[in-house]
Amino acid sequence: MPHRSVPHPTAPDESAGSRPADLRPFMAAFPTGVSVVTTLDSDSVPHGLTCTSLASVALEPATLVVCIRAASPTLAVLLAEGHFALNLLHERARGTSDLFASGAPDRFDRVEWRLPLGAGGPHLTADAHAVADCAVARTVGFGDHTAVFAEVRRVTVREDRDPLLYGLRRYAPWSAAAAAPQPAAPAAPHRDLPAALRPAAPEGGTRVVR
């Protein structure tokens, strides 16, 4: 019987090889928290933007990275001053997320904020459930964005608020996601057998004998 080649269902479309991939649908399928990056310029004028592209890098020293559009005026101030605050928004702060994403020039006049002693930038006191005060350690430019690596100097956390989530181009409250029923834990196989009759754990694993 002659062999017939069947294309793999996940094989890339070679005809699209000359076109750059659109990363936006892929990243939209990866829900994240929502933050606002804030800083002050040399005249003490506040600047800020909404950012969902952030990640922890190291615990020692405490370091995180945020990726910001290279043409952003807030990025220019942040790099010039060398410090910023990262405000994680709580689930009731969707309006603040939209406001700082809009670039409205009066955005700081429309939110509550303060500048504690030693802060890296304005703290959005009514809208953030956690704030990290950061100092710029290193930057890496790539394409149309700049990755800003920063050492975290101080963290402030409120226990009475839950995070705002964003994914698939829409918002969701953490409290709703956390309220979903959790799957039942699977029963441990062979748990009723005497320890001597239980199969050995695979290499690299462990077995607890009670």
Side-chain angles (χ1 to χ4, degrees):
M1 179 177 181
H3 174 73
R4 183 177 65 181
S5 176
V6 179
H8 193 282
T10 59
D13 182 359
E14 294 182 0
S15 65
S18 60
R19 299 196 303 269
D22 184 356
L23 189 59
R24 290 170 295 183
F26 179 82
M27 294 309 300
F30 184 64
T32 67
V34 183
S35 72
V36 171
V37 174
T38 59
T39 188
L40 293 175
D41 64 21
S42 57
D43 296 320
S44 296
V45 176
H47 298 259
L49 54 79
T50 301
C51 176
T52 58
S53 182
L54 66 100
S56 62
V57 175
L59 296 179
E60 292 289 343
T63 306
L64 53 77
V65 60
V66 294
C67 296
I68 302 174
R69 185 172 57 90
S72 165
T74 296
L75 175 64
V77 173
L78 182 157
L79 297 181
E81 300 303 316
H83 49 76
F84 64 95
L86 188 63
N87 297 264
L88 302 185
L89 301 186
H90 62 67
E91 60 186 14
R92 299 180 182 176
R94 172 178 175 173
T96 297
S97 173
D98 289 338
L99 175 63
F100 278 82
S102 72
D106 63 342
R107 51 194 179 275
F108 279 94
D109 296 329
R110 296 161 60 181
V111 296
E112 177 184 312
W113 64 276
R114 65 186 182 91
L115 191 69
L117 184 65
H123 288 201
L124 304 183
T125 50
D127 300 298
H129 70 92
V131 182
D133 291 300
C134 307
V136 176
R138 182 179 302 176
T139 63
V140 177
F142 197 93
D144 57 0
H145 276 63
T146 297
V148 180
F149 293 83
E151 290 191 17
V152 178
R153 300 294 174 81
R154 180 175 63 187
V155 170
T156 306
V157 178
R158 294 178 58 179
E159 302 292 346
D160 60 339
R161 293 287 186 270
D162 289 324
L164 177 67
L165 304 179
Y166 186 76
L168 299 178
R169 298 183 175 87
R170 61 180 182 266
Y171 294 98
W174 170 259
S175 59
Q182 299 300 306
H190 314 292
R191 65 181 180 182
D192 295 328
L193 292 176
L197 299 180
R198 295 175 190 171
E203 183 177 358
T206 60
R207 184 180 67 180
V208 178
V209 178
R210 300 185 185 280

